[in-house]
Amino acid sequence: MGRACSVLLIAALVCASQVLFTSAADGAAPFALRIACGSDSESYSPETGYLWSKDMNYTGGSSGNLTTVSRIASQLKTIRYFGMPDGSENCYNLSVPNGQYLIRMYFSFGFKDNSGREPEFEISMEGTLVYSLTRGWSTVVDNEYVDSLVHINDGAATICFHSSGHGSPVIASIEILQINDDAYNMGTPSSNFIMRTVKRVTAGAEKSGYGSSLQADPWGGDRYWATDTTLFTPGSSVNSLHTKYNISKFNNPPNIYPEAIYQSATTTGPENKLSYTIPVLPNQNYSIWLHFAEIEDSVTAPNERVFNVMANGLPLFQVVDIVKMAGGVRTALVLNKTVLVEGKTLTISLEPLAGEISINAFEVYQLIPREQPTSSDNVWALQSMKQGLELPSRVGWNGDPCIPQLHAWYGVNCEFDAAVGTWFITGLALDSQGLKGRIDDSIVNLQRLQSLNMSNNVLTGVIPESLGHVSSLVTLDLSYNRLNGSIPASLGQLPKLQELLLNDNQLVGEVPPALGAFPIRGGVLNLANNDGLCGVGLRSCNTMSHRQKSGIVIGVIIGFMVLILGGYLCWKRRMNMLRGAQRLPRDAPYAKARTTFVRDVQMARNTLANHFSRPSPYSESTPLNPH
Ligand SMILES: *[C@@H]1O[C@H](CO)[C@@H](O)[C@H](O)[C@H]1NC(C)=O
Ligand SMILES: *[C@@H]1O[C@H](CO)[C@@H](O)[C@H](O)[C@H]1NC(C)=O
Ligand SMILES: *[C@@H]1O[C@H](CO)[C@@H](O)[C@H](O)[C@H]1NC(C)=O
Ligand SMILES: *[C@@H]1O[C@H](CO)[C@@H](O)[C@H](O)[C@H]1NC(C)=O
Ligand SMILES: *[C@@H]1O[C@H](CO)[C@@H](O)[C@H](O)[C@H]1NC(C)=O
Ligand SMILES: *[C@@H]1O[C@H](CO)[C@@H](O)[C@H](O)[C@H]1NC(C)=O
Ligand SMILES: *[C@@H]1O[C@H](CO)[C@@H](O)[C@H](O)[C@H]1NC(C)=O
Ligand SMILES: *[C@@H]1O[C@H](CO)[C@@H](O)[C@H](O)[C@H]1NC(C)=O
């Protein structure tokens, strides 16, 4: 009895908590971030009341004025553009909760920086190239406005603009609108793709509109639904249908659609032919979503309206009977399938089997496989190095270093490791870039770095000891800089090093003895024109230390004292001899003291000679190579 009660109680609690949880999830508003690019103030759009944030979290660029009325929100008046001095890749990095998003961008140009010419550029999201705005893009109204479905799993939406050298990339607004994580489930993990919207169409509708204007649930991401009037294949004979009746199951989480898209349909005239032609990029996979609801009063039962749907002549869905499949009239039916399109158009045709054809809405998405990112410790290392090196902004270095592969960072070589599924940095070539900073310790995280060339800059500070722990290094060229301090002993331990060029710096101290064996192994070593270096192949280090220097001074003093004493003793002996006195057995100590004295003086002279003659005859190091 008591046990049954507690079981019931627990069950009740579980139920209650589930109810609470569900209602909280249902009630919560989706995350939404709307950026007014180039704007320094917040605003609300008069049409929707949505909050637009001021421009934030971009890597560079300038703001300018929008020369047209924004198609997204009419109060927006500014743009951001990225000119040559800002470098060839610039990004927005916006922190958002992990989840699935509809990311929408609006482009415009015409501001003074592009002198009225259409710029050409590319846009990547999460490191994957998604849009290419090539010549003529601005003449197609729909190209100004793009959206994609993107899974964010690193806590930040990263959107990068890549210059192609033809004008400054430009952006007017960015919207990052959360949708249900499981929406658009294609049966395969959609998080492996970015779904670029090709077309989203409400058939038979009188006008296009955003979800907000269609009273759609905000979890649908305020999608834009265009009318189908421009897409009919010539020869189609069409009518439109409308209903004011409610539609069942249109809101069927995780897939949420505006009811309005089911309340209109395109159907056929007497010839009963209907097809749509959509321009696409060839040889890509497209995910096609079709929406149906029986809204014609005369069709009330199965088998009255039956048709096949073909994509470029091949069956997409066969024997579609809306009433039968949806389970009734005025009930939403959603079908999806992915197809590979080889040509430049996708033609969706509906072929009747019984009755007339009818369709309410459809969506076409290009599936863009996501690029794998660069290893995060490598990214972190390069970001720290960028700071340390004071990299000029024209060099860029924003976003992910290796991806999109077509837009890897300047001077960075990458290699993909399929076993780990990430990219690694294998080379850095930043020679002659006017770098004024220092080499950051974080370089130790580039554990696959094989070559580093920062020759001919103005780098200061020391060679980090950690560089000697980048065990993959084969070539290291830091010549012609202003590096000081000593050569870290760790460099002598690099197992694969074949070329070490540290010449023309301000290095001091003893060359790590291990580097002595380096040329013998066949390596190339150049340490020339570092006045303070000694050891291996250079002049001896003995004369350099303070202890040695004070030794010289003491030696000189003792020498003088010995001389004076000796002179005195000689004089005394001579006096004694003159006096005919006995010979004293005390020659040895004076002789020894004199020898010491002479050698020390010679050493001191060498030191001075080395100090003032440049270059030192020993500092030509390459010839040490025995081959
Ligand atoms: C943009 O327009 C405002 C006036 O509306 C003007 O003050 C400002 O200088 C313009 N900015 C640029 C970059 O042209
Ligand atoms: C923008 O950057 C600031 C500071 O780096 C950060 O605190 C803020 O959360 C960021 N905002 C967004 C939306 O990413
Ligand atoms: C983007 O922002 C997130 C947090 O806001 C941060 O962890 C990440 O390092 C940033 N990425 C870049 C490339 O700046
Ligand atoms: C899309 O189609 C796949 C494969 O037929 C199916 O597994 C999946 O449930 C469909 N998605 C939706 C939301 O209907
Ligand atoms: C349609 O549904 C709404 C609630 O969602 C309701 O207020 C309205 O009365 C319904 N209309 C009809 C014609 O049933
Ligand atoms: C299209 O999908 C097929 C099957 O999933 C895949 O093998 C192929 O690589 C994809 N093609 C492109 C261009 O994504
Ligand atoms: C490093 O760059 C300099 C200048 O561009 C070039 O002369 C030198 O050969 C490069 N070093 C190596 C090791 O390739
Ligand atoms: C190296 O030079 C910097 C100035 O560029 C100086 O602050 C630092 O003390 C020097 N370090 C050594 C070890 O000489």
Side-chain angles (χ1 to χ4, degrees):
M1 179 72 176
R3 208 165 68 193
C5 262
S6 52
V7 167
L8 275 179
L9 191 67
I10 288 168
L13 278 175
V14 168
C15 266
S17 65
Q18 265 170 2
V19 166
L20 277 176
F21 177 79
T22 321
S23 59
D26 284 348
F31 178 91
L33 178 62
R34 296 180 167 86
I35 305 273
C37 302
S39 170
D40 55 12
S41 59
E42 285 185 348
S43 64
Y44 289 88
S45 56
E47 299 86 0
T48 56
Y50 289 147
L51 168 66
W52 286 83
S53 303
K54 63 181 182 193
D55 210 356
M56 61 162 95
N57 301 46
Y58 47 79
T59 57
S62 316
S63 58
N65 286 333
L66 195 58
T67 51
T68 55
V69 177
S70 168
R71 287 177 63 202
I72 307 289
S74 59
Q75 91 289 0
L76 301 179
K77 295 276 188 286
T78 55
I79 48 103
R80 172 158 297 276
Y81 64 93
F82 308 100
M84 288 297 270
D86 305 308
S88 61
E89 73 267 332
N90 276 281
C91 306
Y92 279 85
N93 182 29
L94 299 158
S95 58
V96 300
N98 287 344
Q100 191 176 195
Y101 289 85
L102 179 125
I103 299 182
R104 172 158 55 208
M105 283 178 259
Y106 177 64
F107 310 105
S108 185
F109 77 99
F111 54 97
K112 66 176 167 39
D113 187 71
N114 274 324
S115 43
R117 287 207 317 272
E118 173 192 74
E120 293 170 46
F121 56 100
E122 300 193 311
I123 297 122
S124 66
M125 291 196 272
E126 302 298 287
T128 296
L129 208 54
V130 181
Y131 306 111
S132 198
L133 275 65
T134 52
R135 183 185 293 244
W137 64 266
S138 61
T139 60
V140 183
V141 168
D142 282 354
N143 284 359
E144 298 180 339
Y145 155 97
V146 295
D147 72 47
S148 287
L149 307 177
V150 186
H151 283 269
I152 306 273
N153 42 33
D154 59 357
T158 308
I159 302 168
C160 298
F161 298 81
H162 308 275
S163 169
S164 69
H166 299 277
S168 309
V170 55
I171 177 75
S173 67
I174 301 175
E175 292 164 272
I176 304 178
L177 309 174
Q178 190 180 15
I179 63 173
N180 197 302
D181 274 8
D182 300 318
Y184 292 99
N185 178 353
M186 299 173 287
T188 53
S190 62
S191 51
N192 294 347
F193 300 99
I194 286 180
M195 295 175 72
R196 185 181 75 88
T197 308
V198 178
K199 283 285 177 243
R200 190 183 296 111
V201 168
T202 171
E206 276 152 12
K207 57 182 193 337
S208 308
Y210 294 98
S212 52
S213 64
L214 303 174
Q215 286 81 46
D217 186 312
W219 277 97
D222 197 29
R223 286 160 293 190
Y224 181 75
W225 296 88
T227 59
D228 60 350
T229 49
T230 59
L231 298 173
F232 297 123
T233 306
S236 297
S237 76
V238 297
N239 277 323
S240 53
L241 284 174
H242 297 271
T243 184
K244 287 195 164 61
Y245 288 114
N246 283 1
I247 306 293
S248 333
K249 294 194 193 161
F250 73 89
N251 210 348
N252 197 11
N255 289 291
I256 295 166
Y257 290 97
E259 187 173 20
I261 65 167
Y262 298 102
Q263 290 174 319
S264 71
T266 288
T267 182
T268 47
E271 286 174 40
N272 214 7
K273 276 170 79 176
L274 173 59
S275 65
Y276 295 101
T277 303
I278 299 154
V280 294
L281 296 172
N283 297 313
Q284 300 292 320
N285 288 318
Y286 292 88
S287 172
I288 302 172
W289 294 70
L290 304 177
H291 300 269
F292 303 100
E294 189 49 74
I295 58 170
E296 190 156 18
D297 295 341
S298 59
V299 180
T300 55
N303 300 323
E304 291 178 16
R305 193 199 295 281
V306 185
F307 51 88
N308 289 335
V309 183
M310 316 291 280
N312 284 353
L314 297 171
L316 196 60
F317 297 103
Q318 285 176 297
V319 199
V320 177
D321 182 332
I322 303 173
V323 176
K324 190 171 169 186
M325 292 166 81
V329 296
R330 296 188 207 110
T331 305
L333 168 68
V334 183
L335 301 175
N336 81 91
K337 196 160 270 178
T338 298
V339 293
L340 174 71
V341 178
E342 286 169 347
K344 288 184 173 178
T345 54
L346 167 65
T347 301
I348 300 175
S349 329
L350 291 84
E351 297 178 348
L353 298 174
E356 288 179 350
I357 302 155
S358 154
I359 184 166
N360 299 68
F362 62 87
E363 301 164 89
V364 177
Y365 296 95
Q366 182 193 345
L367 296 184
I368 304 175
R370 285 176 76 140
E371 291 204 33
Q372 307 270 33
T374 304
S375 146
S376 57
D377 56 349
N378 276 220
V379 177
W380 180 81
L382 289 192
Q383 280 168 351
S384 309
M385 287 181 67
K386 175 187 172 181
Q387 302 258 313
L389 295 170
E390 297 176 26
L391 210 65
S393 56
R394 65 175 161 73
V395 178
W397 277 34
N398 295 307
D400 186 292
C402 302
I403 59 167
Q405 286 175 60
L406 285 174
H407 299 284
W409 285 1
Y410 177 86
V412 173
N413 276 344
C414 302
E415 242 171 60
F416 188 68
D417 185 335
V420 194
T422 56
W423 291 87
F424 289 91
I425 313 299
T426 54
L428 282 180
L430 291 172
D431 42 288
S432 313
Q433 290 301 320
L435 307 178
K436 294 196 195 82
R438 295 155 176 275
I439 304 169
D440 194 88
D441 257 339
S442 59
I443 196 165
V444 71
N445 286 301
L446 301 180
Q447 279 300 326
R448 312 238 180 146
L449 188 67
Q450 291 165 20
S451 80
L452 176 63
N453 192 348
M454 295 198 190
S455 171
N456 197 22
N457 286 296
V458 204
L459 297 175
T460 58
V462 300
I463 300 173
E465 198 267 340
S466 61
L467 196 50
H469 302 294
V470 182
S471 53
S472 48
L473 267 180
V474 177
T475 308
L476 177 56
D477 188 349
L478 300 175
S479 57
Y480 300 97
N481 277 294
R482 294 190 193 155
L483 298 167
N484 64 7
S486 55
I487 300 176
S490 57
L491 288 193
Q493 314 299 328
L494 287 169
K496 295 184 180 154
L497 197 64
Q498 278 167 18
E499 206 169 343
L500 178 60
L501 310 178
L502 302 177
N503 53 295
D504 296 271
N505 276 293
Q506 296 164 6
L507 301 169
V508 297
E510 186 175 359
V511 175
L515 287 179
F518 182 66
I520 301 164
R521 279 190 347 228
V524 177
L525 178 69
N526 191 344
L527 305 174
N529 302 333
N530 286 287
D531 301 330
L533 280 185
C534 66
V536 178
L538 309 172
R539 71 197 146 67
S540 153
C541 289
N542 289 343
T543 55
M544 276 308 297
S545 74
H546 282 296
R547 195 174 291 178
Q548 289 287 333
K549 275 180 189 162
S550 32
I552 294 166
V553 173
I554 290 167
V556 169
I557 292 170
I558 290 176
F560 262 107
M561 283 166 64
V562 166
L563 253 188
I564 289 164
L565 187 68
Y568 166 74
L569 288 177
C570 272
W571 173 77
K572 205 173 168 187
R573 197 165 89 176
R574 180 162 291 201
M575 292 303 281
N576 284 346
M577 276 165 71
L578 284 174
R579 282 188 213 132
Q582 249 187 309
R583 234 180 122 98
L584 287 171
R586 279 184 184 177
D587 266 1
Y590 318 149
K592 199 177 177 188
R594 196 178 295 126
T595 326
T596 308
F597 167 74
V598 169
R599 200 182 70 200
D600 277 348
V601 166
Q602 222 121 58
M603 278 182 164
R605 196 176 290 144
N606 263 347
T607 309
L608 286 174
N610 273 343
H611 217 82
F612 291 113
S613 76
R614 218 160 79 131
S616 134
Y618 302 110
S619 53
E620 291 298 336
S621 44
T622 15
L624 287 180
N625 189 337
H627 298 289

